[in-house]
Amino acid sequence: PSMKVFCQQAHITAARASQIMSLLFLSPKIQERILLGGDSLIEGMREESFRSRRGLIIWPQQENQWRLLTKGR
């Protein structure tokens, strides 16, 4: 199925689907923290906060940046 069909069936916009798909570039540990929710460290964080981390290919580097991002929250 195409992305258009997926978006229609999921009742989401193409932009939202793109945001969801971009989560796949994050390390599994970060994905888990984001997707399971209920974490006071990430509540209120904007999607833009995650964008720069997904550009890091090496997961330990992403996780180090994630710790810096969430430190003090």
Side-chain angles (χ1 to χ4, degrees), residues 23 26 40 59 63 72:
L23 291 174
L26 292 172
S40 63
W59 287 345
E63 292 162 6

Side-chain angles (χ1 to χ4, degrees), residues 40-67:
S40 63
L41 292 175
I42 63 170
E43 288 179 10
M45 291 176 77
R46 299 179 54 85
E47 188 264 341
E48 294 91 15
S49 301
F50 309 124
R51 268 192 218 144
S52 62
R53 277 79 193 160
R54 72 174 191 234
L56 296 171
I57 298 171
I58 301 170
W59 287 345
Q61 290 177 350
Q62 282 185 359
E63 292 162 6
N64 286 335
Q65 288 296 311
W66 179 259
R67 278 190 286 280

Side-chain angles (χ1 to χ4, degrees), residues 2-72:
S2 71
M3 183 62 79
K4 182 179 179 180
V5 172
F6 166 74
C7 292
Q8 289 172 340
Q9 291 177 346
H11 304 286
I12 60 174
T13 64
R16 176 60 69 201
S18 178
Q19 289 173 335
I20 293 167
M21 297 302 287
S22 72
L23 291 174
L24 296 173
F25 294 107
L26 292 172
S27 81
K29 290 179 183 178
I30 297 173
Q31 289 179 31
E32 182 178 35
R33 299 261 327 252
I34 293 169
L35 296 173
L36 291 180
D39 188 335
S40 63
L41 292 175
I42 63 170
E43 288 179 10
M45 291 176 77
R46 299 179 54 85
E47 188 264 341
E48 294 91 15
S49 301
F50 309 124
R51 268 192 218 144
S52 62
R53 277 79 193 160
R54 72 174 191 234
L56 296 171
I57 298 171
I58 301 170
W59 287 345
Q61 290 177 350
Q62 282 185 359
E63 292 162 6
N64 286 335
Q65 288 296 311
W66 179 259
R67 278 190 286 280
L68 292 173
L69 178 69
T70 58
K71 189 176 185 176

